[in-house]
Amino acid sequence: MLMQNQPLTSLQLELLKIYSFGIKDEQLLEIKQLLVRYFADKATEEADKLWDEKGWTNDTMREWLKGESND
């Protein structure tokens, strides 16, 4: 895989600062869990917005599962 020289994001820079403190493995796991929860919450918020904008319901999902998409 070809690696491109791209500047680090602000998130990447902050994480590097955290690593410089010599955190323990259990702390690293806690940080990973926080990040997972944060990004999962953001994805859920965006999905909820999309559902509201499109007027989707549980019935919409059932139709999609049956292959009866109308959208």
Side-chain angles (χ1 to χ4, degrees):
M1 173 159 71
L2 179 63
M3 299 294 286
Q4 297 179 359
N5 289 334
Q6 295 178 334
L8 296 176
T9 66
S10 56
L11 174 60
Q12 290 168 323
L13 290 171
E14 289 302 317
L15 290 172
L16 285 173
K17 288 178 191 176
I18 291 170
Y19 288 121
S20 70
F21 296 123
I23 62 173
K24 298 176 184 176
D25 287 343
E26 60 231 17
Q27 291 172 311
L28 177 58
L29 180 58
E30 289 174 5
I31 291 167
K32 286 181 182 181
Q33 290 169 341
L34 286 169
L35 289 171
V36 166
R37 190 175 313 121
Y38 173 81
F39 287 111
D41 287 347
K42 290 297 177 186
T44 300
E45 288 172 16
E46 289 301 314
D48 287 346
K49 283 183 198 176
L50 193 56
W51 272 57
D52 291 341
E53 289 171 9
K54 300 284 187 173
W56 293 339
T57 64
N58 288 336
D59 289 336
T60 307
M61 296 299 114
R62 285 187 204 96
E63 289 174 12
W64 287 359
L65 288 171
K66 294 178 188 176
E68 302 171 7
S69 176
N70 292 327
D71 193 55

